């Protein structure tokens, strides 16, 4: 079982729609969860962190965490063409190692 | 500095040569990670440093790879006798302490010819 798994994508959504990204993880003891955005040819950029069960909103982004189900998601509301990128889910495994999923590529159609 | 700084940005080397990649983390950050990202692939964990503790080298792909972190700050990743399959972007990230937000440098693109 992979440490962090993401829905494979690619995901194509029309401008203004909601993009929904999902991630599951293997370590039941994980406490820290992150979403990164990576544009082609660039390094990953942190967009959200979440540590407690429930929702966390930041602008058009909402992260959702369910530790019982070992599931974390990211919603992008009112998607814009500038949101087109690969989104990486990252989880602290074994209390320190920051492990990444393979990423989901999102394309927002104008 | 304001962010994580990596050098060089690009490195082209001949097969069999040794290379050194440098990472200067955000000032005061105690945790430092190295990752490798091959073209179109995800991030492969290489090594982790936390303060003065022994590093976790579990991700290093072979004994040609080594890394050190001097004085709890700057880190260098050394690849000996480079091979073509070592061609990738090498990314460094730092965080204030373990289990907190990590910030990436711009990466070093290594090409082995």
């Amino acid at each position: 079982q992979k440490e962090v798994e993401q829905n494979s994508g690619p995901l194509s959504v029309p401008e203004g729609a909601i993009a929904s990204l999902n991630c599951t993880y293997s370590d039941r003891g994980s406490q820290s969860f992150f979403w990164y955005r990576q544009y082609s040819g660039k390094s990953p950029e942190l967009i959200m962190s979440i540590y407690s069960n429930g929702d966390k909103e930041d602008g058009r982004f909402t992260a959702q965490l369910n530790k019982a189900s070992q599931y974390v998601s990211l919603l992008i509301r009112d998607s814009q063409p500038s949101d087109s990128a690969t989104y990486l889910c990252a989880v602290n495994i074994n209390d320190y190692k920051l492990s990444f999923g393979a990423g989901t590529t999102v394309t927002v159609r104008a | 500095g304001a962010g994580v700084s990596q050098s060089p940005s690009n490195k082209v080397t001949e097969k069999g040569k040794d290379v050194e990649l440098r990472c200067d983390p955000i000032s005061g950050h105690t945790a430092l990670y190295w990752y490798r990202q091959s073209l179109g692939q995800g991030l492969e964990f290489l090594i982790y440093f936390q303060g003065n503790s022994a590093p976790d080298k579990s991700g290093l792909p072979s004994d040609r790879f080594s890394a050190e972190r001097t004085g709890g700050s700057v880190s260098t990743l050394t690849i000996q006798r480079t091979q073509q399959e070592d061609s990738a972007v090498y990314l460094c990230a730092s965080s204030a302490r373990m289990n907190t937000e990590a910030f990436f440098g711009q990466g070093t693109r290594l090409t082995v010819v």
Side-chain angles (χ1 to χ4, degrees), chain A residues 32 34 36 38 43-44 46 49 51 88 92 95-100 102, chain B residues 33 35 37 42-43 45 48 56 91 98-106:
Chain A
S32 306
F34 309 96
Y36 287 81
Q38 187 174 28
S43 61
L46 179 69
S49 59
Y51 302 94
L88 301 167
N92 275 118
D95 210 30
Y96 73 92
K97 176 185 172 184
L98 189 60
S99 185
F100 284 80
Chain B
Y33 301 85
Y35 292 88
Q37 189 172 35
L43 272 70
F45 169 80
Y48 167 77
D56 174 6
L91 292 159
M98 63 182 183
N99 292 334
T100 61
E101 299 170 339
F103 300 91
F104 281 85
Q106 82 279 16

PDB file of all heavy atoms in Angstrom, chain A residues 32 34 36 38 43-44 46 49 51 88 92 95-100 102, chain B residues 33 35 37 42-43 45 48 56 91 98-106:
ATOM      1  N   SER A  32      -0.322  15.662  10.372  1.00  0.00           N
ATOM      2  CA  SER A  32      -0.132  16.886   9.591  1.00  0.00           C
ATOM      3  C   SER A  32      -0.364  16.583   8.117  1.00  0.00           C
ATOM      4  O   SER A  32       0.178  15.614   7.593  1.00  0.00           O
ATOM      5  CB  SER A  32       1.284  17.431   9.787  1.00  0.00           C
ATOM      6  OG  SER A  32       1.575  17.616  11.156  1.00  0.00           O
ATOM      7  N   PHE A  34      -1.029  18.396   4.071  1.00  0.00           N
ATOM      8  CA  PHE A  34      -0.760  19.601   3.286  1.00  0.00           C
ATOM      9  C   PHE A  34      -1.195  19.385   1.844  1.00  0.00           C
ATOM     10  O   PHE A  34      -1.161  18.273   1.325  1.00  0.00           O
ATOM     11  CB  PHE A  34       0.743  19.918   3.317  1.00  0.00           C
ATOM     12  CG  PHE A  34       1.322  19.939   4.709  1.00  0.00           C
ATOM     13  CD1 PHE A  34       1.950  18.815   5.215  1.00  0.00           C
ATOM     14  CD2 PHE A  34       1.240  21.066   5.493  1.00  0.00           C
ATOM     15  CE1 PHE A  34       2.477  18.809   6.503  1.00  0.00           C
ATOM     16  CE2 PHE A  34       1.771  21.078   6.782  1.00  0.00           C
ATOM     17  CZ  PHE A  34       2.381  19.942   7.282  1.00  0.00           C
ATOM     18  N   TYR A  36      -0.142  21.028  -1.918  1.00  0.00           N
ATOM     19  CA  TYR A  36       0.781  21.866  -2.676  1.00  0.00           C
ATOM     20  C   TYR A  36       0.267  21.982  -4.101  1.00  0.00           C
ATOM     21  O   TYR A  36      -0.353  21.066  -4.647  1.00  0.00           O
ATOM     22  CB  TYR A  36       2.183  21.239  -2.701  1.00  0.00           C
ATOM     23  CG  TYR A  36       2.934  21.318  -1.398  1.00  0.00           C
ATOM     24  CD1 TYR A  36       2.689  20.402  -0.369  1.00  0.00           C
ATOM     25  CD2 TYR A  36       3.896  22.299  -1.178  1.00  0.00           C
ATOM     26  CE1 TYR A  36       3.372  20.480   0.833  1.00  0.00           C
ATOM     27  CE2 TYR A  36       4.597  22.374   0.018  1.00  0.00           C
ATOM     28  CZ  TYR A  36       4.328  21.461   1.014  1.00  0.00           C
ATOM     29  OH  TYR A  36       5.018  21.532   2.200  1.00  0.00           O
ATOM     30  N   GLN A  38       1.713  22.721  -8.000  1.00  0.00           N
ATOM     31  CA  GLN A  38       2.952  22.753  -8.786  1.00  0.00           C
ATOM     32  C   GLN A  38       2.618  23.071 -10.233  1.00  0.00           C
ATOM     33  O   GLN A  38       1.972  22.278 -10.926  1.00  0.00           O
ATOM     34  CB  GLN A  38       3.702  21.409  -8.689  1.00  0.00           C
ATOM     35  CG  GLN A  38       5.075  21.457  -9.351  1.00  0.00           C
ATOM     36  CD  GLN A  38       5.881  20.188  -9.131  1.00  0.00           C
ATOM     37  OE1 GLN A  38       5.334  19.105  -8.962  1.00  0.00           O
ATOM     38  NE2 GLN A  38       7.210  20.322  -9.148  1.00  0.00           N
ATOM     39  N   SER A  43       8.693  24.589  -8.820  1.00  0.00           N
ATOM     40  CA  SER A  43       8.711  23.757  -7.613  1.00  0.00           C
ATOM     41  C   SER A  43       7.366  23.832  -6.907  1.00  0.00           C
ATOM     42  O   SER A  43       6.570  24.750  -7.152  1.00  0.00           O
ATOM     43  CB  SER A  43       9.844  24.208  -6.693  1.00  0.00           C
ATOM     44  OG  SER A  43       9.658  25.549  -6.284  1.00  0.00           O
ATOM     45  N   PRO A  44       7.061  22.880  -6.040  1.00  0.00           N
ATOM     46  CA  PRO A  44       5.772  22.875  -5.322  1.00  0.00           C
ATOM     47  C   PRO A  44       5.630  24.093  -4.413  1.00  0.00           C
ATOM     48  O   PRO A  44       6.585  24.514  -3.756  1.00  0.00           O
ATOM     49  CB  PRO A  44       5.823  21.577  -4.520  1.00  0.00           C
ATOM     50  CG  PRO A  44       6.798  20.713  -5.238  1.00  0.00           C
ATOM     51  CD  PRO A  44       7.829  21.647  -5.769  1.00  0.00           C
ATOM     52  N   LEU A  46       3.202  25.617  -1.303  1.00  0.00           N
ATOM     53  CA  LEU A  46       2.220  25.258  -0.282  1.00  0.00           C
ATOM     54  C   LEU A  46       0.981  26.141  -0.404  1.00  0.00           C
ATOM     55  O   LEU A  46       1.095  27.371  -0.456  1.00  0.00           O
ATOM     56  CB  LEU A  46       2.834  25.433   1.104  1.00  0.00           C
ATOM     57  CG  LEU A  46       1.937  25.119   2.295  1.00  0.00           C
ATOM     58  CD1 LEU A  46       1.651  23.616   2.371  1.00  0.00           C
ATOM     59  CD2 LEU A  46       2.574  25.598   3.591  1.00  0.00           C
ATOM     60  N   SER A  49      -2.648  23.892   4.725  1.00  0.00           N
ATOM     61  CA  SER A  49      -2.266  22.909   5.726  1.00  0.00           C
ATOM     62  C   SER A  49      -3.472  22.643   6.603  1.00  0.00           C
ATOM     63  O   SER A  49      -4.307  23.542   6.813  1.00  0.00           O
ATOM     64  CB  SER A  49      -1.100  23.423   6.572  1.00  0.00           C
ATOM     65  OG  SER A  49      -1.450  24.635   7.218  1.00  0.00           O
ATOM     66  N   TYR A  51      -4.640  20.230  10.239  1.00  0.00           N
ATOM     67  CA  TYR A  51      -4.150  19.367  11.301  1.00  0.00           C
ATOM     68  C   TYR A  51      -5.288  18.716  12.094  1.00  0.00           C
ATOM     69  O   TYR A  51      -5.046  17.740  12.806  1.00  0.00           O
ATOM     70  CB  TYR A  51      -3.274  20.174  12.277  1.00  0.00           C
ATOM     71  CG  TYR A  51      -2.087  20.851  11.625  1.00  0.00           C
ATOM     72  CD1 TYR A  51      -2.175  22.170  11.181  1.00  0.00           C
ATOM     73  CD2 TYR A  51      -0.883  20.186  11.429  1.00  0.00           C
ATOM     74  CE1 TYR A  51      -1.090  22.802  10.578  1.00  0.00           C
ATOM     75  CE2 TYR A  51       0.206  20.818  10.831  1.00  0.00           C
ATOM     76  CZ  TYR A  51       0.090  22.117  10.407  1.00  0.00           C
ATOM     77  OH  TYR A  51       1.162  22.748   9.807  1.00  0.00           O
ATOM     78  N   LEU A  88      -0.589  18.398  -5.301  1.00  0.00           N
ATOM     79  CA  LEU A  88       0.080  17.320  -4.568  1.00  0.00           C
ATOM     80  C   LEU A  88      -0.422  17.282  -3.135  1.00  0.00           C
ATOM     81  O   LEU A  88      -0.415  18.303  -2.440  1.00  0.00           O
ATOM     82  CB  LEU A  88       1.593  17.557  -4.551  1.00  0.00           C
ATOM     83  CG  LEU A  88       2.283  17.652  -5.909  1.00  0.00           C
ATOM     84  CD1 LEU A  88       3.698  18.192  -5.745  1.00  0.00           C
ATOM     85  CD2 LEU A  88       2.329  16.285  -6.572  1.00  0.00           C
ATOM     86  N   ASN A  92       2.560  13.821   6.770  1.00  0.00           N
ATOM     87  CA  ASN A  92       3.683  13.413   7.620  1.00  0.00           C
ATOM     88  C   ASN A  92       3.482  11.966   8.057  1.00  0.00           C
ATOM     89  O   ASN A  92       2.513  11.632   8.733  1.00  0.00           O
ATOM     90  CB  ASN A  92       3.812  14.319   8.835  1.00  0.00           C
ATOM     91  CG  ASN A  92       4.602  15.572   8.536  1.00  0.00           C
ATOM     92  OD1 ASN A  92       4.104  16.670   8.626  1.00  0.00           O
ATOM     93  ND2 ASN A  92       5.862  15.403   8.136  1.00  0.00           N
ATOM     94  N   ASP A  95       5.533  10.299  11.914  1.00  0.00           N
ATOM     95  CA  ASP A  95       5.759  11.468  12.758  1.00  0.00           C
ATOM     96  C   ASP A  95       6.827  12.422  12.234  1.00  0.00           C
ATOM     97  O   ASP A  95       7.206  13.354  12.929  1.00  0.00           O
ATOM     98  CB  ASP A  95       6.127  11.038  14.185  1.00  0.00           C
ATOM     99  CG  ASP A  95       5.662  12.057  15.202  1.00  0.00           C
ATOM    100  OD1 ASP A  95       4.639  12.732  14.937  1.00  0.00           O
ATOM    101  OD2 ASP A  95       6.304  12.197  16.258  1.00  0.00           O
ATOM    102  N   TYR A  96       7.335  12.223  11.001  1.00  0.00           N
ATOM    103  CA  TYR A  96       8.292  13.201  10.495  1.00  0.00           C
ATOM    104  C   TYR A  96       8.393  13.219   8.975  1.00  0.00           C
ATOM    105  O   TYR A  96       8.446  14.265   8.378  1.00  0.00           O
ATOM    106  CB  TYR A  96       9.681  12.956  11.080  1.00  0.00           C
ATOM    107  CG  TYR A  96      10.364  11.737  10.486  1.00  0.00           C
ATOM    108  CD1 TYR A  96      11.196  11.851   9.379  1.00  0.00           C
ATOM    109  CD2 TYR A  96      10.146  10.482  11.022  1.00  0.00           C
ATOM    110  CE1 TYR A  96      11.784  10.734   8.816  1.00  0.00           C
ATOM    111  CE2 TYR A  96      10.733   9.371  10.454  1.00  0.00           C
ATOM    112  CZ  TYR A  96      11.552   9.500   9.354  1.00  0.00           C
ATOM    113  OH  TYR A  96      12.133   8.391   8.796  1.00  0.00           O
ATOM    114  N   LYS A  97       8.441  12.072   8.365  1.00  0.00           N
ATOM    115  CA  LYS A  97       8.708  12.014   6.921  1.00  0.00           C
ATOM    116  C   LYS A  97       7.553  12.628   6.161  1.00  0.00           C
ATOM    117  O   LYS A  97       6.404  12.243   6.334  1.00  0.00           O
ATOM    118  CB  LYS A  97       8.903  10.566   6.507  1.00  0.00           C
ATOM    119  CG  LYS A  97       9.093  10.357   5.015  1.00  0.00           C
ATOM    120  CD  LYS A  97       9.165   8.877   4.719  1.00  0.00           C
ATOM    121  CE  LYS A  97       9.166   8.608   3.225  1.00  0.00           C
ATOM    122  NZ  LYS A  97       9.139   7.156   2.937  1.00  0.00           N
ATOM    123  N   LEU A  98       7.825  13.588   5.317  1.00  0.00           N
ATOM    124  CA  LEU A  98       6.799  14.230   4.507  1.00  0.00           C
ATOM    125  C   LEU A  98       6.698  13.469   3.197  1.00  0.00           C
ATOM    126  O   LEU A  98       7.569  13.563   2.342  1.00  0.00           O
ATOM    127  CB  LEU A  98       7.158  15.695   4.273  1.00  0.00           C
ATOM    128  CG  LEU A  98       6.082  16.562   3.621  1.00  0.00           C
ATOM    129  CD1 LEU A  98       4.822  16.580   4.470  1.00  0.00           C
ATOM    130  CD2 LEU A  98       6.594  17.977   3.404  1.00  0.00           C
ATOM    131  N   SER A  99       5.616  12.686   3.069  1.00  0.00           N
ATOM    132  CA  SER A  99       5.434  11.826   1.911  1.00  0.00           C
ATOM    133  C   SER A  99       4.374  12.410   0.991  1.00  0.00           C
ATOM    134  O   SER A  99       3.349  12.914   1.449  1.00  0.00           O
ATOM    135  CB  SER A  99       5.016  10.421   2.380  1.00  0.00           C
ATOM    136  OG  SER A  99       4.953   9.533   1.300  1.00  0.00           O
ATOM    137  N   PHE A 100       4.624  12.351  -0.308  1.00  0.00           N
ATOM    138  CA  PHE A 100       3.750  12.967  -1.298  1.00  0.00           C
ATOM    139  C   PHE A 100       3.007  11.926  -2.124  1.00  0.00           C
ATOM    140  O   PHE A 100       3.549  10.857  -2.441  1.00  0.00           O
ATOM    141  CB  PHE A 100       4.578  13.835  -2.255  1.00  0.00           C
ATOM    142  CG  PHE A 100       5.018  15.139  -1.654  1.00  0.00           C
ATOM    143  CD1 PHE A 100       6.116  15.193  -0.815  1.00  0.00           C
ATOM    144  CD2 PHE A 100       4.334  16.311  -1.931  1.00  0.00           C
ATOM    145  CE1 PHE A 100       6.518  16.385  -0.246  1.00  0.00           C
ATOM    146  CE2 PHE A 100       4.732  17.508  -1.380  1.00  0.00           C
ATOM    147  CZ  PHE A 100       5.823  17.550  -0.535  1.00  0.00           C
ATOM    148  N   ALA A 102       1.164  11.085  -5.882  1.00  0.00           N
ATOM    149  CA  ALA A 102       1.675  11.256  -7.248  1.00  0.00           C
ATOM    150  C   ALA A 102       1.162  12.532  -7.911  1.00  0.00           C
ATOM    151  O   ALA A 102       1.711  12.965  -8.924  1.00  0.00           O
ATOM    152  CB  ALA A 102       1.299  10.041  -8.091  1.00  0.00           C
TER     153      ALA A 102
ATOM    154  N   TYR B  33      14.558  18.701   4.054  1.00  0.00           N
ATOM    155  CA  TYR B  33      14.286  17.527   3.232  1.00  0.00           C
ATOM    156  C   TYR B  33      14.946  17.686   1.863  1.00  0.00           C
ATOM    157  O   TYR B  33      14.980  18.789   1.310  1.00  0.00           O
ATOM    158  CB  TYR B  33      12.786  17.381   2.963  1.00  0.00           C
ATOM    159  CG  TYR B  33      11.881  17.256   4.160  1.00  0.00           C
ATOM    160  CD1 TYR B  33      11.415  18.383   4.834  1.00  0.00           C
ATOM    161  CD2 TYR B  33      11.428  16.006   4.584  1.00  0.00           C
ATOM    162  CE1 TYR B  33      10.553  18.275   5.906  1.00  0.00           C
ATOM    163  CE2 TYR B  33      10.555  15.888   5.656  1.00  0.00           C
ATOM    164  CZ  TYR B  33      10.131  17.022   6.312  1.00  0.00           C
ATOM    165  OH  TYR B  33       9.265  16.909   7.377  1.00  0.00           O
ATOM    166  N   TYR B  35      14.364  15.929  -2.019  1.00  0.00           N
ATOM    167  CA  TYR B  35      13.520  15.090  -2.866  1.00  0.00           C
ATOM    168  C   TYR B  35      14.100  15.093  -4.276  1.00  0.00           C
ATOM    169  O   TYR B  35      14.820  16.004  -4.673  1.00  0.00           O
ATOM    170  CB  TYR B  35      12.085  15.625  -2.947  1.00  0.00           C
ATOM    171  CG  TYR B  35      11.311  15.539  -1.657  1.00  0.00           C
ATOM    172  CD1 TYR B  35      11.382  16.575  -0.728  1.00  0.00           C
ATOM    173  CD2 TYR B  35      10.506  14.440  -1.369  1.00  0.00           C
ATOM    174  CE1 TYR B  35      10.678  16.502   0.467  1.00  0.00           C
ATOM    175  CE2 TYR B  35       9.795  14.364  -0.177  1.00  0.00           C
ATOM    176  CZ  TYR B  35       9.887  15.401   0.726  1.00  0.00           C
ATOM    177  OH  TYR B  35       9.188  15.338   1.907  1.00  0.00           O
ATOM    178  N   GLN B  37      12.699  14.620  -8.356  1.00  0.00           N
ATOM    179  CA  GLN B  37      11.524  14.556  -9.219  1.00  0.00           C
ATOM    180  C   GLN B  37      11.989  14.352 -10.649  1.00  0.00           C
ATOM    181  O   GLN B  37      12.543  15.260 -11.270  1.00  0.00           O
ATOM    182  CB  GLN B  37      10.666  15.826  -9.094  1.00  0.00           C
ATOM    183  CG  GLN B  37       9.329  15.711  -9.813  1.00  0.00           C
ATOM    184  CD  GLN B  37       8.412  16.895  -9.526  1.00  0.00           C
ATOM    185  OE1 GLN B  37       8.853  18.023  -9.374  1.00  0.00           O
ATOM    186  NE2 GLN B  37       7.118  16.631  -9.440  1.00  0.00           N
ATOM    187  N   GLY B  42       6.297  11.945  -9.679  1.00  0.00           N
ATOM    188  CA  GLY B  42       6.065  12.546  -8.370  1.00  0.00           C
ATOM    189  C   GLY B  42       7.355  12.815  -7.628  1.00  0.00           C
ATOM    190  O   GLY B  42       8.454  12.624  -8.155  1.00  0.00           O
ATOM    191  N   LEU B  43       7.215  13.256  -6.383  1.00  0.00           N
ATOM    192  CA  LEU B  43       8.381  13.567  -5.551  1.00  0.00           C
ATOM    193  C   LEU B  43       8.856  12.314  -4.825  1.00  0.00           C
ATOM    194  O   LEU B  43       8.098  11.692  -4.088  1.00  0.00           O
ATOM    195  CB  LEU B  43       8.032  14.647  -4.526  1.00  0.00           C
ATOM    196  CG  LEU B  43       8.203  16.082  -4.981  1.00  0.00           C
ATOM    197  CD1 LEU B  43       7.165  16.449  -6.005  1.00  0.00           C
ATOM    198  CD2 LEU B  43       8.147  17.025  -3.792  1.00  0.00           C
ATOM    199  N   PHE B  45      11.215  10.879  -1.997  1.00  0.00           N
ATOM    200  CA  PHE B  45      11.926  11.267  -0.785  1.00  0.00           C
ATOM    201  C   PHE B  45      13.344  10.695  -0.806  1.00  0.00           C
ATOM    202  O   PHE B  45      13.543   9.518  -1.097  1.00  0.00           O
ATOM    203  CB  PHE B  45      11.171  10.737   0.433  1.00  0.00           C
ATOM    204  CG  PHE B  45      11.918  10.832   1.734  1.00  0.00           C
ATOM    205  CD1 PHE B  45      11.979  12.030   2.425  1.00  0.00           C
ATOM    206  CD2 PHE B  45      12.566   9.733   2.263  1.00  0.00           C
ATOM    207  CE1 PHE B  45      12.664  12.127   3.622  1.00  0.00           C
ATOM    208  CE2 PHE B  45      13.254   9.809   3.472  1.00  0.00           C
ATOM    209  CZ  PHE B  45      13.296  11.010   4.149  1.00  0.00           C
ATOM    210  N   TYR B  48      16.256  13.218   5.143  1.00  0.00           N
ATOM    211  CA  TYR B  48      15.651  14.179   6.060  1.00  0.00           C
ATOM    212  C   TYR B  48      16.621  14.471   7.194  1.00  0.00           C
ATOM    213  O   TYR B  48      17.215  13.554   7.755  1.00  0.00           O
ATOM    214  CB  TYR B  48      14.359  13.584   6.620  1.00  0.00           C
ATOM    215  CG  TYR B  48      13.766  14.296   7.804  1.00  0.00           C
ATOM    216  CD1 TYR B  48      13.068  15.480   7.637  1.00  0.00           C
ATOM    217  CD2 TYR B  48      13.884  13.773   9.095  1.00  0.00           C
ATOM    218  CE1 TYR B  48      12.490  16.126   8.722  1.00  0.00           C
ATOM    219  CE2 TYR B  48      13.319  14.415  10.184  1.00  0.00           C
ATOM    220  CZ  TYR B  48      12.619  15.588   9.998  1.00  0.00           C
ATOM    221  OH  TYR B  48      12.048  16.240  11.061  1.00  0.00           O
ATOM    222  N   ASP B  56      17.679  10.781   8.465  1.00  0.00           N
ATOM    223  CA  ASP B  56      17.025   9.598   7.911  1.00  0.00           C
ATOM    224  C   ASP B  56      17.449   9.469   6.457  1.00  0.00           C
ATOM    225  O   ASP B  56      17.004  10.246   5.611  1.00  0.00           O
ATOM    226  CB  ASP B  56      15.506   9.734   8.021  1.00  0.00           C
ATOM    227  CG  ASP B  56      14.774   8.589   7.334  1.00  0.00           C
ATOM    228  OD1 ASP B  56      15.428   7.635   6.865  1.00  0.00           O
ATOM    229  OD2 ASP B  56      13.542   8.659   7.256  1.00  0.00           O
ATOM    230  N   LEU B  91      15.017  18.712  -5.382  1.00  0.00           N
ATOM    231  CA  LEU B  91      14.311  19.739  -4.624  1.00  0.00           C
ATOM    232  C   LEU B  91      14.661  19.655  -3.149  1.00  0.00           C
ATOM    233  O   LEU B  91      14.732  18.570  -2.576  1.00  0.00           O
ATOM    234  CB  LEU B  91      12.804  19.572  -4.784  1.00  0.00           C
ATOM    235  CG  LEU B  91      12.238  19.862  -6.179  1.00  0.00           C
ATOM    236  CD1 LEU B  91      10.883  19.200  -6.362  1.00  0.00           C
ATOM    237  CD2 LEU B  91      12.131  21.357  -6.398  1.00  0.00           C
ATOM    238  N   MET B  98       9.701  19.562  12.829  1.00  0.00           N
ATOM    239  CA  MET B  98       9.065  18.452  12.134  1.00  0.00           C
ATOM    240  C   MET B  98       7.533  18.545  12.282  1.00  0.00           C
ATOM    241  O   MET B  98       7.015  19.122  13.236  1.00  0.00           O
ATOM    242  CB  MET B  98       9.588  17.123  12.642  1.00  0.00           C
ATOM    243  CG  MET B  98       9.315  16.808  14.070  1.00  0.00           C
ATOM    244  SD  MET B  98      10.095  15.211  14.439  1.00  0.00           S
ATOM    245  CE  MET B  98       9.568  15.015  16.139  1.00  0.00           C
ATOM    246  N   ASN B  99       6.875  18.029  11.295  1.00  0.00           N
ATOM    247  CA  ASN B  99       5.410  17.991  11.223  1.00  0.00           C
ATOM    248  C   ASN B  99       4.769  19.350  10.975  1.00  0.00           C
ATOM    249  O   ASN B  99       3.563  19.497  11.135  1.00  0.00           O
ATOM    250  CB  ASN B  99       4.789  17.375  12.480  1.00  0.00           C
ATOM    251  CG  ASN B  99       5.098  15.905  12.606  1.00  0.00           C
ATOM    252  OD1 ASN B  99       5.343  15.247  11.607  1.00  0.00           O
ATOM    253  ND2 ASN B  99       5.111  15.411  13.815  1.00  0.00           N
ATOM    254  N   THR B 100       5.554  20.352  10.587  1.00  0.00           N
ATOM    255  CA  THR B 100       4.968  21.644  10.239  1.00  0.00           C
ATOM    256  C   THR B 100       5.163  21.917   8.752  1.00  0.00           C
ATOM    257  O   THR B 100       5.790  21.145   8.041  1.00  0.00           O
ATOM    258  CB  THR B 100       5.572  22.775  11.082  1.00  0.00           C
ATOM    259  OG1 THR B 100       6.986  22.846  10.830  1.00  0.00           O
ATOM    260  CG2 THR B 100       5.341  22.524  12.572  1.00  0.00           C
ATOM    261  N   GLU B 101       4.652  23.048   8.301  1.00  0.00           N
ATOM    262  CA  GLU B 101       4.646  23.368   6.878  1.00  0.00           C
ATOM    263  C   GLU B 101       6.064  23.411   6.319  1.00  0.00           C
ATOM    264  O   GLU B 101       6.953  24.027   6.910  1.00  0.00           O
ATOM    265  CB  GLU B 101       3.952  24.716   6.669  1.00  0.00           C
ATOM    266  CG  GLU B 101       2.508  24.716   7.132  1.00  0.00           C
ATOM    267  CD  GLU B 101       1.903  26.095   7.154  1.00  0.00           C
ATOM    268  OE1 GLU B 101       2.671  27.072   7.200  1.00  0.00           O
ATOM    269  OE2 GLU B 101       0.672  26.190   7.111  1.00  0.00           O
ATOM    270  N   ALA B 102       6.260  22.791   5.183  1.00  0.00           N
ATOM    271  CA  ALA B 102       7.563  22.773   4.522  1.00  0.00           C
ATOM    272  C   ALA B 102       7.505  23.632   3.270  1.00  0.00           C
ATOM    273  O   ALA B 102       6.511  23.621   2.537  1.00  0.00           O
ATOM    274  CB  ALA B 102       7.969  21.344   4.166  1.00  0.00           C
ATOM    275  N   PHE B 103       8.582  24.360   3.031  1.00  0.00           N
ATOM    276  CA  PHE B 103       8.674  25.279   1.898  1.00  0.00           C
ATOM    277  C   PHE B 103       9.837  24.858   1.014  1.00  0.00           C
ATOM    278  O   PHE B 103      10.928  24.559   1.516  1.00  0.00           O
ATOM    279  CB  PHE B 103       8.851  26.714   2.396  1.00  0.00           C
ATOM    280  CG  PHE B 103       7.713  27.173   3.260  1.00  0.00           C
ATOM    281  CD1 PHE B 103       7.760  27.004   4.630  1.00  0.00           C
ATOM    282  CD2 PHE B 103       6.583  27.741   2.699  1.00  0.00           C
ATOM    283  CE1 PHE B 103       6.700  27.399   5.442  1.00  0.00           C
ATOM    284  CE2 PHE B 103       5.519  28.143   3.496  1.00  0.00           C
ATOM    285  CZ  PHE B 103       5.575  27.974   4.864  1.00  0.00           C
ATOM    286  N   PHE B 104       9.573  24.876  -0.299  1.00  0.00           N
ATOM    287  CA  PHE B 104      10.549  24.372  -1.252  1.00  0.00           C
ATOM    288  C   PHE B 104      11.407  25.485  -1.856  1.00  0.00           C
ATOM    289  O   PHE B 104      10.944  26.626  -2.028  1.00  0.00           O
ATOM    290  CB  PHE B 104       9.833  23.645  -2.397  1.00  0.00           C
ATOM    291  CG  PHE B 104       9.389  22.264  -2.046  1.00  0.00           C
ATOM    292  CD1 PHE B 104       8.176  22.052  -1.414  1.00  0.00           C
ATOM    293  CD2 PHE B 104      10.188  21.173  -2.339  1.00  0.00           C
ATOM    294  CE1 PHE B 104       7.765  20.773  -1.080  1.00  0.00           C
ATOM    295  CE2 PHE B 104       9.786  19.890  -2.004  1.00  0.00           C
ATOM    296  CZ  PHE B 104       8.572  19.693  -1.376  1.00  0.00           C
ATOM    297  N   GLY B 105      12.622  25.113  -2.204  1.00  0.00           N
ATOM    298  CA  GLY B 105      13.452  25.950  -3.054  1.00  0.00           C
ATOM    299  C   GLY B 105      13.048  25.762  -4.506  1.00  0.00           C
ATOM    300  O   GLY B 105      12.116  25.010  -4.823  1.00  0.00           O
ATOM    301  N   GLN B 106      13.761  26.457  -5.385  1.00  0.00           N
ATOM    302  CA  GLN B 106      13.394  26.426  -6.803  1.00  0.00           C
ATOM    303  C   GLN B 106      13.897  25.175  -7.506  1.00  0.00           C
ATOM    304  O   GLN B 106      13.516  24.904  -8.639  1.00  0.00           O
ATOM    305  CB  GLN B 106      13.928  27.686  -7.515  1.00  0.00           C
ATOM    306  CG  GLN B 106      15.390  27.616  -7.939  1.00  0.00           C
ATOM    307  CD  GLN B 106      16.356  27.915  -6.797  1.00  0.00           C
ATOM    308  OE1 GLN B 106      16.022  27.897  -5.618  1.00  0.00           O
ATOM    309  NE2 GLN B 106      17.606  28.211  -7.169  1.00  0.00           N
TER     310      GLN B 106
END
